[in-house]
Amino acid sequence: MPSSDARAGLAATVDGLFLLEDHLQQLRRAHEELRRSDHWHGGLPVLLLERCWLRLSRVSVEHLAQRLPPDCSQEAPELCRYRELVAAGLSAWEAERVCWEDFGADACRDALRNYWTAQERGTQGWTLETYLELLQQYRQRFALESPRPVPLLVLARREGPARLGRHRLLWLGPGTAGGRPSMRDTCP
């Protein structure tokens, strides 16, 4: 009698990531889509894996920020200006005073509140910087690599003790799937 893993049609990537046969079909479709594309465009695929639910979804590059909004709280103009002033040699108190004069006390308080709320909630490492880095890597890999790898974001949990975990970005080539099923990367 086949193991329960074999009956369920499970497979694994080289990274030991747990995927179902349906996920592998989606991965193959994404690779085919990349193979057929002759130029970079916003419709290229990014795969998102919600590990705990074993749900794999496809989103286009142009809709990624809508589907998975990056945390931009650190990029608030009030906080950027504050960091610039401190880096230029002003004391923290003086830099804060200048920001209050430039932006207003309410705007500065809101920027700090949003920043600390994001820190408490957890950003899963998905910031404006990491989002832009993914886009840059994708463009480079699209232009230089053959066959082209598909970006897969393994989403961290947003609640409970694991909420401070980080999303993981994997670049999966066409030969990625195979080997024995693994449960190593399932929900903690």
Side-chain angles (χ1 to χ4, degrees), residues 3 5-6 10-13 16-17 178-183:
S3 71
D5 286 350
L10 304 177
T13 68
L17 187 66
R180 180 162 162 66
S182 170
M183 291 295 286

Side-chain angles (χ1 to χ4, degrees), residues 57-152:
S57 56
R58 179 210 181 276
V59 65
S60 63
V61 170
E62 64 190 351
H63 294 115
L64 179 59
Q66 293 167 332
R67 174 76 184 278
L68 190 63
D71 171 43
C72 300
S73 62
Q74 291 185 53
E75 308 306 320
E78 300 85 354
L79 299 180
C80 290
R81 178 72 173 136
Y82 174 82
R83 287 191 297 269
E84 288 172 5
L85 293 169
V86 169
L90 266 65
S91 70
W93 173 249
E94 185 63 22
E96 186 175 332
R97 186 189 63 73
V98 169
C99 287
W100 280 33
E101 287 175 4
D102 290 350
F103 298 101
D106 289 340
C108 291
R109 278 193 293 270
D110 287 346
L112 278 173
R113 185 178 311 114
N114 291 340
Y115 172 77
W116 286 112
T117 299
Q119 297 308 302
E120 289 171 0
R121 183 183 61 236
T123 64
Q124 290 74 37
W126 189 241
T127 62
L128 180 61
E129 182 180 351
T130 54
Y131 167 71
L132 294 174
E133 186 177 306
L134 178 144
L135 294 179
Q136 179 185 18
Q137 283 183 30
Y138 203 172
R139 279 181 176 271
Q140 288 174 343
R141 289 172 183 260
F142 184 88
L144 300 175
E145 294 186 28
S146 183
R148 297 174 179 130
V150 174
L152 170 73

Side-chain angles (χ1 to χ4, degrees), residues 163-179:
R163 79 179 192 291
L164 298 177
R166 298 177 66 83
H167 298 322
R168 281 193 318 141
L169 174 60
L170 304 174
W171 294 95
L172 304 179
T176 301

Side-chain angles (χ1 to χ4, degrees), residues 26-74:
Q26 280 185 274
L27 181 58
R28 285 185 211 102
R29 284 193 297 271
H31 281 123
E32 181 59 25
E33 200 175 331
L34 283 174
R35 189 187 65 72
R36 288 191 323 261
S37 295
D38 59 351
H39 66 282
W40 170 265
H41 57 90
L44 295 175
V46 176
L47 299 178
L48 304 176
L49 178 63
E50 296 174 65
R51 317 180 279 159
C52 292
W53 302 106
L54 295 177
R55 190 175 347 193
L56 184 69
S57 56
R58 179 210 181 276
V59 65
S60 63
V61 170
E62 64 190 351
H63 294 115
L64 179 59
Q66 293 167 332
R67 174 76 184 278
L68 190 63
D71 171 43
C72 300
S73 62
Q74 291 185 53

